[in-house]
């Protein structure tokens, strides 16, 4: 993509309305624009990141055996009256009346709808277990939408739902999602700590939140310092994690048997990027979702639900990975891998070399954002640092005359002078 034609409205100044660094950077780097309180448009650069995150989530759900589908954003009120949550959900639910005076709502979550679909279409225990998921916009009329996409009113969620014949099966499904979540977040360069949590409005007996440590997090978590070491290895040792103490503030128990000694007990603020629930028959009983068991008798199905805040993750990743100059994208979610900077647009040699690099890299399947604008070098470097692409490939007249280009690693700041061939090999290898 050539920057001269790309829609990338960056801001020099910090927007006054943004209180936390990720929100400031998302506005400054031209990722999003607010359309109403807690409701955002995703501009091309932000949209690319959102889609990358979504794709990692999708691949790990598919690998775990979950099946993707797509439910609508608008749901009928009747389903929520069946489960009993229509009144409970209160003002957070955006209620809509259609032209026939039917009560509808913009879905804040999908337990009711998926339970109805399951009930109407699955008749035998032989069809279990199943895990279904979709990635769809949700609406929650939060009292205090804030921190940009972190606590929005409209937000993108991946929500999965598991269906099993008994508790053992449901526990297995829960563990499958628990593992898939750790892998998912690790692929985004995040260490997520699974903490025991309250199940709130979703309900149920067992629940874990996946928390990213960050000063700006809205939650407080208690955890064993050993989690920090597990994160550092880059490998996720799930068995080791399961035994370690980690709890949300409201679940913190100073008498828990696996509580670490005081010097290893940490407390920190966290951002909740995922939340999983086992709630048994909370929805299947009132909604009468049963299948025929082995003896032909109806059995009420056991369920769980599993959410990931896809749009929140964009903000959470920036909170975890930035410096004073801007965003530092982990390669797996970066909108482009390389920012190609032509330091002297209009100069015959620089244009020819840059155009050539752009073509060769693009043909090798590398995503390149090519700054071919007629701007000062300082402006170009600032833009690149702000938008945080993993590599910057800089083509300037002096270097070219000496036969080299410069490759900068955004994370380490390391710069190397390389021949064009070596730079290409480095980026495509
Ligand atoms: C689990 C899937 C549920 O809704 N039902 C379906 C269950 N869980 S949850 O914890 O309420 O939400 C799941 C994840 O969605 C993100 N999230 C939000 N992101 C941005 N703005 C919001 N207002 C918001 N509310 C929830 C979180 O990442 C949460 O873990």
């Amino acid at each position: 993509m050539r920057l001269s034609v790309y829609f990338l409205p960056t801001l020099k100044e910090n927007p006054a309305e943004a209180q936390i660094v990720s929100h400031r950077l998302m506005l400054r780097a031209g990722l999003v624009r607010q359309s109403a309180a807690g409701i955002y448009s995703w501009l091309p650069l932000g949209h690319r990141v959102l889609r990358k995150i979504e794709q990692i989530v999708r691949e790990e759900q598919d690998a775990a055996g979950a099946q993707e589908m797509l439910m609508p954003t608008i749901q009928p009120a009747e389903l929520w009256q069946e489960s009993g949550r229509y009144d409970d959900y209160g003002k957070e639910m955006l209620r809509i009346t259609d032209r026939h005076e039917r009560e509808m709502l913009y879905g804040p979550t999908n337990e009711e709808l998926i339970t109805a679909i399951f009930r109407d279409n699955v008749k035998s225990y032989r069809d279990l277990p199943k895990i279904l998921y979709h990635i769809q916009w949700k609406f929650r009329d939060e009292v205090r939408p804030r921190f940009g996409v972190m606590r929005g009113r409209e937000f993108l969620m991946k929500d999965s739902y598991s269906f099993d014949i008994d508790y053992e099966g449901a526990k297995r499904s829960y563990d499958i999602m628990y593992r898939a979540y750790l892998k998912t977040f690790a692929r985004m360069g995040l260490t997520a700590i699974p903490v025991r949590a309250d199940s709130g409005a979703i309900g149920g007996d067992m629940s874990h939140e996946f928390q990213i440590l960050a000063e700006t997090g809205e939650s407080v978590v208690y955890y064993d310092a050993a989690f920090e070491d597990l994160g550092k290895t880059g490998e996720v040792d799930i068995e080791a994690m399961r035994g370690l103490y980690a709890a949300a503030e409201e679940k913190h128990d100073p008498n828990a048997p696996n509580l670490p000694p005081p010097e290893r007990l940490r407390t920190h603020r966290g951002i909740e990027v995922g939340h999983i629930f086992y709630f048994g028959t909370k929805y299947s009983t009132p909604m009468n979702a049963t299948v025929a068991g082995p003896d032909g008798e109806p059995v009420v199905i056991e369920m769980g639900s599993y959410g990931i805040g896809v749009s929140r993750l964009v903000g959470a990743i920036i909170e975890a990975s930035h410096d004073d100059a801007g965003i530092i994208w982990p390669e797996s979610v970066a909108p482009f891998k390389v920012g190609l900077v032509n330091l002297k647009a209009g100069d015959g040699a620089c244009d020819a070399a840059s155009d050539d690099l752009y073509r060769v890299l693009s043909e090798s399947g590398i995503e390149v954002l090519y700054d071919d604008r007629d701007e000062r070098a300082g402006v170009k470097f600032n833009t690149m640092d702000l938008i945080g692409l993993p590599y910057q490939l800089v083509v300037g007249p002096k270097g070219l005359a000496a036969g080299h280009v410069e490759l900068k690693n955004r994370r380490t700041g390391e710069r190397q002078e390389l021949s064009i061939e070596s730079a290409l090999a480095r980026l495509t290898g």
Side-chain angles (χ1 to χ4, degrees), residues 4 46 54 79 92 95 114 123 211 225 236 242 275 297 302 311 317 321 325 344 349 361 385-386 390 393 395:
S4 57
E54 182 184 323
L79 286 177
E92 277 211 1
R95 296 158 204 260
I114 194 79
K123 301 291 172 209
Q211 296 275 356
V236 182
R242 288 306 290 260
H275 199 161
E297 292 298 309
E302 287 270 329
S311 49
I317 291 170
S321 184
K344 205 163 181 200
L361 285 169
D385 281 351
L386 175 64
L393 185 57
V395 180

Side-chain angles (χ1 to χ4, degrees), residues 85 89 108-111 138 140 142 145 148-161 181 201-202 209-210 271-277 279 305-313:
R85 275 209 293 185
Y89 226 94
T109 176
N110 284 60
E111 280 80 5
K138 306 286 187 284
R140 293 182 185 173
E142 304 270 352
V149 300
M150 297 262 251
R151 179 162 298 281
R153 292 198 296 164
E154 189 183 47
F155 60 96
L156 189 59
M157 191 200 288
K158 183 287 298 175
D159 37 327
S160 312
Y161 302 88
Y181 274 35
I202 307 294
E209 289 169 359
F210 290 75
I271 301 170
E272 180 199 312
V273 289
H275 199 161
I276 62 177
F277 304 82
F279 45 71
S305 74
Y306 315 88
I308 290 182
V310 176
S311 49
R312 174 177 288 184
L313 271 164

Side-chain angles (χ1 to χ4, degrees), residues 53 56-57 183-190 313 317 330 332-333:
I53 292 174
I56 292 176
V57 170
K183 272 200 189 161
T184 303
F185 299 127
R187 279 185 65 185
M188 297 172 194
L190 298 170
L313 271 164
I317 291 170
S332 58
V333 302

Side-chain angles (χ1 to χ4, degrees), residues 12 341-345 371-384:
K12 275 206 199 69
V341 179
N342 180 350
L343 279 186
K344 205 163 181 200
D371 192 347
D372 59 340
R373 296 173 304 168
D374 182 15
E375 284 282 0
R376 284 183 296 113
V379 171
K380 295 194 173 195
F381 289 136
N382 287 345
T383 303
M384 280 302 165

Side-chain angles (χ1 to χ4, degrees), residues 343-360:
L343 279 186
K344 205 163 181 200
D347 172 89
C350 284
D351 288 353
S354 303
D355 285 0
D356 214 43
L357 278 165
Y358 179 52
R359 186 181 48 79
V360 175

Side-chain angles (χ1 to χ4, degrees), residues 20 24 172 214 250-251 281 381 393 406 411:
I20 62 170
R24 282 200 288 275
R172 235 183 336 265
E250 58 287 359
K251 283 275 174 182
T281 61
F381 289 136
L393 185 57
E406 188 179 77
R411 185 174 295 280

